[in-house]
Amino acid sequence: MRDNHGDWRAHARAYREIRGRVLALGQTMGVQTTASVITLMRGDDMVAVPASSTSAWAFEPTVLESGSNYCAEAVNAVDFARATGPVRSVLSVHFPGDYGDDHAAGVKAATAANGMTFINIKTDPGADRQSGAVDAILARRPDLVVLAVNPAETAVIVQGAAAGGFPGRIIGAGPSWDPELLR
């Protein structure tokens, strides 16, 4: 076991330390950290299970995914919404980077496949930085909003949209949810 402390350099150093002495990695934390050694892993035929959900892992022969990736999760969200009511336009509110951009790519693919309008809104982390996302929802009035943010941002966005009279539906990616939101 090695702790990469969320640092890709530490992760690469740790991988080099154990290289040739293990058959597989039961878990490798993070997208950037895993990506920092993916070329070495391919060359070593090292099997790994990343604790991250980027769709990039679907194209890596030595990576075993441990759940649905963000892109597929987003496609499923749009498909679910379409199956439960009319959806003509979908607004994706997401963080920049591997989590949010991957999720937004799934929303975009699903809307394109179903002839829907896709609206893309990137937002920065921070509950106090969501006024632009709320304003976009209220101005555009999409049938569906799909979030790829964290729970603190979800709370602010949903409350702001509801307070502004938004009548549509909102679905969040797995990391956007926390049971505390029910309070």
Side-chain angles (χ1 to χ4, degrees), residues 27-105:
Q27 189 174 71
T28 175
M29 297 295 290
V31 175
Q32 286 103 2
T33 51
T34 304
S36 74
V37 295
I38 200 73
T39 302
L40 294 173
M41 288 171 47
R42 275 189 228 119
D44 295 342
D45 287 326
M46 175 66 68
V47 174
V49 182
S52 58
S53 299
T54 177
S55 61
W57 302 147
F59 306 99
E60 289 295 338
T62 64
V63 168
L64 301 174
E65 294 180 90
S66 58
S68 179
N69 62 54
Y70 298 128
C71 186
E73 180 184 39
V75 170
N76 289 337
V78 173
D79 283 350
F80 169 78
R82 189 175 58 90
T84 58
V87 179
R88 293 172 303 285
S89 61
V90 182
L91 188 145
S92 171
V93 177
H94 63 93
F95 290 156
D98 55 75
Y99 161 45
D101 290 340
D102 199 38
H103 199 271

